[in-house]
Amino acid sequence: MTLETIGMLTLLIGLAGLWAGPRWAAALLCFSLLFGAAAAIQLPALGGNSIQPSHLLMVFLCLSVAIRPAQFRASLLSLAHPGPGYWFAAYILFSVATAFFLPRIFADASLVYSSARGANSVMSTLASPLGPSSSNLTQSFYLLGDLACFAIVAALAKAGEHRFIALAVVATSAGCSLFAFLDLITFYAGIPGALDVIRNANYSMHTSDTFAGFKRIVGSYPEASSFGAIALAFFSFTLVLWLERYPVRHLGLVTMGTGVFLLMSTSTTAYAAGGAMIGVIILYSLQQLWRGRAHSSHAAFMLLCVLVVPCAVLGLMLIPSIWQMVIDVGVEAFANKLGSQSGEERTAWNTLALISFIDTMGMGAGLGAVRASSFVVALLANTGVAGTLLFILFVYRLFAPARGLDMRRLDEAAIGRAALMSALSQIFSATIAGSSTDLGLLFSLTSGLAAGASARAVLNNASLTPPALVVAHKTAGGTGFA
């Protein structure tokens, strides 16, 4: 085990969070998610795996909760039935169980592209017989960390810290844009290695790649697709907060900055998932307009999507040189992607992953046993039908509508909707290009924030609602958002 310089700084920050309390520890964890290409600790004994600063800070967040009995009990209660935390815990604990049993039960039953690293610390891209590997252990630790993050953030949000955590996410979104700007500046200034101090993880770094003549923005992440997925999650969060007119200074500038760098990222994943998210947010805005709950920001967003953007596209078509650049990026991002070496490789991963799903009779090969190029495929191949159904139940409970509740006046509603959209964007991105079943700590943080804000909004509405309606709502079992 090797402690890196950035790891020593992370330890000091973790101790500060431990002293300041869980809400500050959660905020520091949120900001540390920016350092996706950094390694706090190197683990040569586990095939050269790296522990990122965020996972190291997750340990301190757990410690800060463990030494505070009331907060610890609240975190456990956030996993109680029938809330989304119960199904998230069921999904993760089942997945961890599969990591131990299924690779041994189905040993040599199928060929897989494993997520494990070889002796040379490089991720293997060669098919090999199914069997236990170090990735079963590492993926289990990652998912258990995700569960702890969800439980703690959900408890904090329900206890009234939802505004503080939302501000931390907005600040982290601004930091994401800052690193994207520094990535561009250092590249075109001829000093692309200036950010290598935060790119020391044992990953394949694609920090100097170009795409149709454009610099691929990676920010503080190892590749453009990673940056695009994270930037989309932050953009979705801040955009919905802006639509809901949540009072945060410079929220519009943060949203615009994140959106601009997202467009400049040249990430196919970001473009495809971003298009899907824009469609979802348009439908959400239409729903608000139909119900008479819309703000002027909803109308402005609809006008931008329906009128301004098409007019801008038509204007670009009148400038042949610029329009040709746009076409080149589109062709490179979509038309040529599947035919590229990367596209063919990812198609092969998914194909063999689905074959392993069939070879294991739908039970899956075990968490961390199969590498794919889509979260959905990885979910089926690793955890089988049972694990997939548990995750679907979790998502359903997270997004379940609250029937009969009017949450227009509540801050919890705005934050909850923003967190839900952010979590949904991460599912979209992972479905397009996710290689494992681990959606990451940012997903756990945003989904935990959504669950906690939802629970608090329901409680606040109950205090303002006639008792008969409260009883009717509890009978219906609603826990989500309208």
Side-chain angles (χ1 to χ4, degrees), residues 58-131:
M58 188 64 229
V59 175
F60 286 97
L61 175 59
C62 291
L63 288 175
S64 70
V65 171
I67 62 178
R68 295 170 172 85
Q71 184 63 51
F72 182 73
R73 287 194 297 270
S75 298
L76 291 180
L77 286 174
S78 68
L79 303 180
H81 186 272
Y86 174 84
W87 297 105
F88 195 47
Y91 156 69
I92 286 180
L93 294 178
F94 174 80
S95 298
V96 171
T98 66
F100 179 80
F101 291 105
L102 294 184
R104 292 168 172 81
I105 293 173
F106 294 109
D108 299 326
S110 181
L111 289 177
V112 298
Y113 288 106
S114 175
S115 298
R117 295 177 182 271
N120 57 356
S121 298
V122 176
M123 191 76 77
S124 174
T125 56
L126 297 177
S128 58
L130 172 62

Side-chain angles (χ1 to χ4, degrees), residues 106-415:
F106 294 109
D108 299 326
S110 181
L111 289 177
V112 298
Y113 288 106
S114 175
S115 298
R117 295 177 182 271
N120 57 356
S121 298
V122 176
M123 191 76 77
S124 174
T125 56
L126 297 177
S128 58
L130 172 62
S133 64
S134 62
S135 61
N136 301 130
L137 180 63
T138 55
Q139 288 291 310
S140 296
F141 279 126
Y142 288 153
L143 283 192
L144 290 173
D146 293 344
L147 178 60
C149 181
F150 176 94
I152 293 170
V153 172
L156 287 171
K158 186 177 180 180
E161 301 293 351
H162 55 286
R163 298 181 184 88
F164 186 83
I165 298 174
L167 288 175
V169 177
V170 173
T172 307
S173 177
C176 183
S177 296
L178 175 61
F179 278 118
F181 177 74
L182 292 175
D183 180 39
L184 285 177
I185 291 297
T186 54
F187 178 81
Y188 288 111
I191 47 174
L195 296 179
D196 284 353
V197 66
I198 59 171
R199 295 170 176 164
N200 65 323
N202 193 19
Y203 307 141
S204 297
M205 299 292 175
H206 300 274
T207 57
S208 298
D209 291 356
T210 57
F211 189 92
F214 295 92
K215 163 71 170 72
R216 302 200 73 186
I217 298 179
V218 299
S220 52
Y221 298 91
E223 57 183 359
S225 61
S226 300
F227 168 80
I230 295 293
L232 177 60
F234 288 132
F235 174 71
S236 301
F237 185 88
T238 56
L239 175 59
V240 174
L241 282 187
W242 179 80
L243 290 175
E244 295 293 321
R245 299 174 68 178
Y246 187 77
V248 177
R249 293 184 62 183
H250 310 302
L251 180 60
L253 289 177
V254 173
T255 304
M256 184 182 300
T258 309
V260 168
F261 286 116
L262 187 62
L263 284 174
M264 297 172 61
S265 68
T266 70
S267 167
T268 305
T269 300
Y271 292 159
M277 280 308 303
I278 291 297
V280 170
I281 295 175
I282 287 175
L283 291 176
Y284 166 71
S285 298
L286 286 173
Q287 181 192 52
Q288 295 298 91
L289 287 168
W290 177 260
R291 294 184 176 184
R293 299 179 179 181
H295 302 297
S296 58
S297 52
H298 292 96
F301 176 72
M302 293 295 298
L303 183 66
L304 177 68
C305 294
V306 175
L307 184 61
V308 176
V309 171
C311 289
V313 172
L314 292 175
L316 289 176
M317 293 177 68
L318 297 175
I319 310 174
S321 58
I322 297 180
W323 182 244
Q324 186 59 47
M325 293 169 57
V326 174
I327 292 177
D328 290 343
V329 171
V331 170
E332 189 69 23
F334 295 101
N336 295 339
K337 188 67 174 179
L338 290 177
S340 66
Q341 180 180 355
S342 173
E344 292 176 353
E345 185 178 60
R346 290 178 178 274
T347 301
W349 293 351
N350 283 338
T351 301
L352 205 56
L354 291 174
I355 291 174
S356 70
F357 171 72
I358 296 172
D359 289 341
T360 57
M361 298 174 291
M363 296 179 64
L367 177 66
V370 181
R371 190 182 191 188
S373 185
S374 169
F375 169 71
V376 174
V377 176
L379 198 59
L380 288 169
N382 286 275
T383 65
V385 174
T388 303
L389 289 177
L390 287 173
F391 183 81
I392 291 173
L393 285 170
F394 158 66
V395 173
Y396 171 76
R397 292 302 304 171
L398 190 64
F399 285 83
R403 300 175 180 86
L405 292 183
D406 181 5
M407 296 183 284
R408 288 177 291 179
R409 300 183 300 276
L410 297 177
D411 288 344
E412 293 92 337
I415 293 173

